[in-house]
């Protein structure tokens, strides 16, 4: 398959956290803070068990006492309403979680959707409803993981290949889709081989394993669908590996989404690795699982280095959609002085959606929003390629977002 | 990259001696003064350290006959950078190549003196030596990935083929030092050339055709080469428009 247009070959930096590729289950955090929307279903002082529903789409990830419900720092928003639970150290689960129910093939689409929603897999569950129009014919499991440092999907696939394939089958059934594709980048050959051998030995005809040349931002779902299927994303459902695994655990074991695999990495961390993290674990506690920082990071990023959020403080919880926490060193993350645009055209060459970022940002700098939109500001997929390649270190992504905001 | 011009400058000093040093020194001084004036008088940000002014100064010097009076050199250097770059807002904003603007000023204001032997009109051993130095500079730029190889190659070939066609094989001025200087250092200036890859290719092609046409049919700036470039500079917004990539809605 041809490499992606404008795709960047980024330094992967994935080896450190994959030595070994197993996922470590660390000791329990002392407390968790789980942001929620709507009404809280518990009160201060109440005792909760793991998996207990505490809000509309949130479940307790520790057993213990609800110590406080109020506004707490949030990684992306300034702060948000959250429920804080102090661990009692017992890790007691709700009864019923963990009993295997293998008759999921007999479940109807509605029933699967209900289980997913009840389990806090709101991303998949809510989308499944709207995915009815238009009819979804293809489900893609996005195992590309294009961003550097992140290896949580890689390690999860190596540890639980069959579960993820089954999770794909479950989602495919729920969507009424015809095809199931697992998409991987070519830096994950061992994963592809493992999946292929599993589909072979289980005589699985349903799943296709596709390996694509590793280029950023292949992991962006719209780009992935274009490269894999040559079409628009309409009618295609793209799911992350974490969501698929959570869907499997929800339907087969009735286990709500209260923990996920997170890569704690970056050059500043003592021992980069993948860990099972309970939802709501504070970033500062999670970093300790990797034995802390061996030197002061310039930036701590939640997510990947290209699209993640730089944290102001480590006193924020890790949420369901966070694949990594990275401590980036000064030489990679230091703020650089900005030069004017010299019209070199590197940004145009690197744009996967064929925009002219130079023209958009030059217009944005002069507040010419009509012009910026004319150059395609609203079509930007916010991959950050232009920012990465700009020799003048202009804040390309921020300028395009500024143009979009007006 | 200033370093890539060093071989050519060394040949310049070697062949023309103290006169060459004089011209280069004056060019440097007047260009830096022009850039400084741009900051003081027009409010542009002072960025003397970024080397772009220095490159302009060296290119300008290399385009001049060493017999040119000091006044002419100084005025030309100042004019080129001030009216060719600073009044447009400084780095990244100028449509025309400032070295060529300076050369244009010299040719218009001192027409007789400008006819002297310069890089563009050097012949024989001198021109071969310059050619070697310029190829070295070009190799450095391409090797360091500062410029794309297609532009000098397309420009060189378009000059070669077009002059061969028009003179029916009589003249093939490829090793003309002026053409080589243009191919590696003028065509490739990102500020005054198109944004897109295809635009840059069109630019190089057009500049080559124009250089030959001016040389053969009508008198032109700096042996015709300069006019070709300045015309293409003016066409850059059009080229950007024509060759803009098709936006994709996902």
């Amino acid at each position: 398959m041809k490499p992606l247009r404008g795709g960047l070959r980024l330094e992967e930096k994935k080896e450190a956290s994959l030595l070994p590729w197993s996922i470590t289950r660390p000791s329990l955090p002392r407390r968790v803070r789980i942001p929620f929307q709507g009404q809280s279903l518990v009160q201060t002082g109440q005792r909760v068990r793991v998996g207990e529903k505490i809000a509309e789409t949130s479940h307790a990830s520790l057993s213990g006492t609800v110590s406080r419900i109020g506004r707490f720092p949030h990684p992306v928003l300034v702060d948000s309403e959250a429920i804080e639970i102090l661990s009692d150290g017992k890790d007691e689960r709700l009864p019923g979680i963990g009993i295997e129910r293998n008759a999921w093939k007999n479940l109807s689409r509605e029933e699967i959707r209900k289980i997913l929603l009840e389990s806090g897999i709101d991303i998949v569950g809510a989308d499944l409803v709207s995915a009815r129009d238009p009819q979804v014919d293809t489900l893609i499991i996005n195992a590309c993981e294009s961003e550097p440092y992140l290896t949580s999907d890689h390690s999860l696939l190596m540890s639980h290949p069959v579960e993820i394939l089954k999770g794909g089958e479950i989602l495919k059934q729920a969507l009424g889709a015809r095809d199931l594709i697992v998409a991987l980048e070519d830096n994950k050959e061992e994963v592809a081989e493992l999946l292929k051998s599993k589909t072979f030995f289980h005589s699985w005809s349903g799943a296709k394993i596709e390996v694509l040349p590793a280029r950023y931002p292949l992991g962006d779902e719209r780009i992935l669908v274009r490269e894999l299927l040559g079409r628009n994303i309409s009618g295609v459902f793209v799911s992350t590996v974490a969501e698929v695994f959570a869907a499997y655990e929800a339907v087969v074991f009735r286990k709500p989404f209260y923990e996920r695999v997170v890569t704690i990495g970056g050059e500043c961390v003592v021992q980069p690795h993948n860990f099972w993290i309970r939802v709501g674990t504070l970033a500062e506690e999670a970093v300790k699982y990797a034995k802390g920082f061996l030197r002061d990071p310039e930036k701590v990023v939640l997510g990947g280095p290209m699209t993640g959020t730089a944290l102001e403080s480590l006193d924020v919880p890790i949420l369901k959609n966070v694949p990594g926490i990275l401590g980036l060193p000064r030489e990679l993350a230091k703020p650089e002085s900005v030069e004017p645009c010299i019209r070199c055209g590197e940004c145009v060459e690197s744009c996967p959606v064929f925009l002219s970022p130079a023209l958009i940002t030059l217009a944005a700098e002069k507040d010419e929003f009509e012009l910026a939109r004319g150059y395609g500001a609203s079509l930007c997929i916010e991959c950050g390629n232009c920012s990465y390649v700009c020799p003048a270190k202009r804040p390309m992504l921020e300028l395009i977002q500024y143009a979009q905001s007006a | 990259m200033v370093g890539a011009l060093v071989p050519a400058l060394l040949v310049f000093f070697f062949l023309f001696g103290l006169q060459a040093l004089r011209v280069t020194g004056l060019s440097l001084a007047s260009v830096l003064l022009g850039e400084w004036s741009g900051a003081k008088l027009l409010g542009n940000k002072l960025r003397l350290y970024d080397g772009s002014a220095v490159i302009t100064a060296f290119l300008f010097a290399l385009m001049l006959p060493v017999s040119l009076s000091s006044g002419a050199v100084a005025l030309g250097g100042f004019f080129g950078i001030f009216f060719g770059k600073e009044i447009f807002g400084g780095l990244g904003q100028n449509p025309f190549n400032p070295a060529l603007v300076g050369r244009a000023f010299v040719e218009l204001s001192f027409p007789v003196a400008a006819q002297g032997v310069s890089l563009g009109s050097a012949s024989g051993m001198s021109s071969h030596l310059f050619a070697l130095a310029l190829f070295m500079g070009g190799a450095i730029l391409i090797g360091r990935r500062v410029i794309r190889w297609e532009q000098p190659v397309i420009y060189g070939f378009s000059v070669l083929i077009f002059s061969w066609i028009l003179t029916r094989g009589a003249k093939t001025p490829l090793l003309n030092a002026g053409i080589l200087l243009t191919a590696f250092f003028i065509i490739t200036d990102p500020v005054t050339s198109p944004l897109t890859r295809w635009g840059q290719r069109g630019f190089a092609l057009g500049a080559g055709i124009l250089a030959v046409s001016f040389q053969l049919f009508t008198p032109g700036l700096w042996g015709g080469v300069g006019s070709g470039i300045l015309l293409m500079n003016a066409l850059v917004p059009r080229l950007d428009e024509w060759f803009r990539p098709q936006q994709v809605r996902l």
Side-chain angles (χ1 to χ4, degrees):
Chain A
M1 214 173 260
K2 239 181 6 157
L4 168 63
R5 174 223 153 84
L8 299 176
R9 294 182 85 147
L10 299 175
E11 247 189 282
E12 282 165 10
K13 308 197 187 202
K14 299 191 188 237
E15 288 163 339
S17 53
L18 288 172
L19 291 170
W21 51 253
S22 58
I23 307 166
T24 303
R25 189 169 281 282
S27 49
L28 295 172
R30 276 170 305 154
R31 59 181 163 170
V32 289
R33 279 194 208 132
I34 301 171
F36 67 97
Q37 281 155 339
Q39 285 285 76
S40 160
L41 299 171
V42 294
Q43 293 149 326
T44 329
Q46 187 176 334
R47 193 169 177 276
V48 291
R49 283 171 291 181
V50 174
E52 203 166 315
K53 199 163 180 190
I54 55 177
E56 188 65 42
T57 53
S58 308
H59 299 77
S61 50
L62 286 178
S63 67
T65 327
V66 176
S67 65
R68 218 189 106 189
I69 302 174
R71 295 206 81 81
F72 286 100
H74 188 275
V76 179
L77 312 166
V78 176
D79 58 24
S80 85
E81 286 285 312
I83 298 168
E84 186 181 67
I85 304 171
L86 291 180
S87 172
D88 60 6
K90 294 194 196 132
D91 202 22
E92 219 183 294
R93 285 202 293 207
L94 275 184
I97 296 176
I99 300 172
E100 197 166 338
R101 296 151 223 262
N102 267 313
W104 51 266
K105 284 211 164 48
N106 302 329
L107 290 174
S108 77
R109 200 164 151 175
E110 287 306 316
E111 286 168 322
I112 299 183
R113 183 199 142 219
K114 188 158 170 289
I115 296 172
L116 292 174
L117 268 170
E118 277 298 305
S119 308
I121 306 173
D122 48 353
I123 313 149
V124 177
D127 279 23
L128 274 181
V129 181
S130 55
R132 210 187 288 247
D133 304 285
Q135 173 60 38
V136 172
D137 55 88
T138 308
L139 167 66
I140 300 179
I141 301 180
N142 184 356
C144 288
E145 218 165 30
S146 311
E147 292 202 55
Y149 301 103
L150 299 180
T151 52
S152 61
D153 289 349
H154 186 141
S155 59
L156 191 56
L157 279 161
M158 290 299 288
S159 318
H160 302 279
V162 177
E163 288 87 339
I164 288 168
L165 286 168
K166 282 190 179 158
E169 288 291 329
I170 290 171
L171 280 179
K172 187 168 121 181
Q173 190 174 315
L175 290 165
R178 197 184 58 221
D179 297 317
L180 169 62
I181 305 175
V182 182
L184 297 144
E185 284 191 341
D186 62 12
N187 52 21
K188 292 185 244 307
E189 283 289 356
E190 57 174 1
V191 180
E193 289 308 308
L194 182 62
L195 289 172
K196 283 179 189 166
S197 72
K198 292 296 175 190
T199 53
F200 176 76
F201 281 115
H202 291 255
S203 304
W204 237 313
S205 54
K208 250 195 308 186
I209 317 293
E210 292 281 356
V211 178
L212 297 147
R215 294 284 186 280
Y216 180 80
L218 197 54
D220 179 289
E221 52 177 42
R222 294 158 291 186
I223 300 284
L224 183 60
V225 171
R226 186 186 78 191
E227 294 300 299
L228 207 50
L229 302 173
R231 61 190 257 209
N232 192 271
I233 200 171
S234 166
V236 181
F237 191 86
V238 182
S239 187
T240 66
V241 172
E243 286 168 351
V244 172
F245 186 74
Y248 169 83
E249 296 215 291
V251 170
V252 175
F253 292 105
R254 295 291 189 269
K255 179 183 160 189
F257 197 173
Y258 62 73
E259 62 178 8
R260 66 158 293 147
V261 182
V262 177
T263 307
I264 312 220
E267 281 86 347
C268 293
V269 148
V270 174
Q271 204 168 61
H273 199 60
N274 286 297
F275 298 91
W276 280 106
I277 303 280
R278 299 288 169 108
V279 170
T281 306
L282 299 177
E284 57 189 350
E285 239 184 302
V287 169
K288 293 200 190 113
Y289 298 150
K291 306 211 169 108
F293 293 123
L294 64 90
R295 51 180 171 136
D296 261 335
E298 178 73 24
K299 267 193 199 161
V300 178
V301 172
L302 211 60
M306 299 293 279
T307 58
T309 335
L311 292 177
E312 295 288 320
S313 112
L314 290 179
D315 193 31
V316 290
I318 297 171
L319 308 175
K320 290 175 198 167
N321 59 355
V322 172
I325 301 179
L326 307 172
L328 299 178
R330 182 166 178 78
E331 61 267 19
L332 295 177
K334 65 176 183 296
E336 309 230 33
S337 57
V338 176
E339 305 278 305
C341 174
I342 56 166
R343 303 172 47 92
C344 66
E346 287 293 318
C347 54
V348 180
E349 294 301 311
S350 73
C351 180
V353 279
F354 302 92
L355 302 178
S356 307
L359 297 174
I360 299 173
T361 53
L362 286 169
E365 274 176 345
K366 305 250 195 298
D367 285 353
E368 295 270 2
F369 299 114
E370 277 306 309
L371 202 57
R373 268 193 292 275
Y375 288 129
S378 54
L379 299 175
C380 172
I381 61 167
E382 306 194 13
C383 64
N385 273 9
C386 48
S387 295
Y388 185 80
V389 297
C390 180
K393 304 279 179 273
R394 297 174 71 228
M396 304 292 288
L397 187 53
E398 282 90 333
L399 283 167
I400 299 177
Q401 286 169 334
Y402 176 60
Q404 287 172 334
S405 69
Chain B
M1 268 209 72
V2 187
L5 275 172
V6 166
L9 283 170
L10 289 175
V11 172
F12 194 47
F13 299 148
F14 173 70
L15 288 175
F16 296 117
L18 281 172
Q19 291 285 59
L21 276 167
R22 176 186 65 98
V23 166
T24 309
L26 279 168
S27 168
L28 197 60
S30 59
V31 162
L32 289 175
L33 182 69
E35 184 114 324
W36 181 85
S37 308
K40 282 284 169 262
L41 300 174
L42 301 170
N44 294 337
K45 196 154 178 265
L46 195 62
R47 266 189 209 89
L48 288 178
Y49 53 83
D50 74 3
S52 64
V54 175
I55 294 175
T56 302
F58 288 155
L59 286 174
F60 178 61
L62 286 169
M63 291 176 193
L64 298 173
V66 291
S67 53
L68 198 62
S69 70
S70 298
V73 177
L75 281 171
F78 185 88
F79 186 94
I81 203 82
F82 194 82
F83 289 99
K85 181 175 157 193
E86 292 303 306
I87 55 164
F88 292 105
L91 183 63
Q93 316 261 35
N94 48 299
F96 297 110
N97 189 299
L100 282 172
V101 172
R103 166 85 199 184
F105 175 83
V106 166
E107 267 188 47
L108 291 170
S109 314
F110 307 92
V112 178
Q115 302 288 348
V117 174
S118 71
L119 207 74
S121 50
S123 58
M125 198 45 153
S126 319
S127 113
H128 291 322
L129 221 56
F130 266 123
L132 183 67
L134 289 166
F135 268 113
M136 276 173 67
I140 294 174
L141 288 176
I142 294 173
R144 290 287 190 130
R145 313 200 99 199
V146 178
I147 66 171
R148 294 185 182 138
W149 61 267
E150 332 176 293
Q151 283 183 287
V153 167
I154 293 175
Y155 182 67
F157 269 107
S158 99
V159 165
L160 192 69
I161 292 168
F162 214 63
S163 61
W164 189 84
I165 293 172
L166 285 183
T167 64
R168 298 197 187 95
K171 286 211 276 183
T172 48
L174 188 56
L175 288 184
N176 177 314
I179 298 276
L180 288 173
L181 183 73
T182 309
F184 291 121
F185 296 96
I186 309 268
I187 297 275
T188 52
D189 172 29
V191 179
T192 53
S193 61
L195 206 52
T196 59
R197 244 208 162 110
W198 275 106
Q200 288 163 358
R201 291 167 182 161
F203 181 86
L205 184 69
I209 294 173
L210 284 173
V212 174
S213 315
F214 273 110
Q215 214 159 60
L216 295 175
F217 300 135
T218 86
L221 177 61
W222 194 42
V225 172
S227 303
I229 299 293
L230 289 176
L231 259 174
M232 292 310 292
N233 283 158
L235 278 177
V236 163
R238 263 294 138 213
L239 286 169
D240 277 344
E241 189 74 32
W242 287 337
F243 290 108
R244 218 197 310 167
Q246 276 293 84
Q247 295 159 18
V248 171
R249 177 175 292 277
L250 288 180

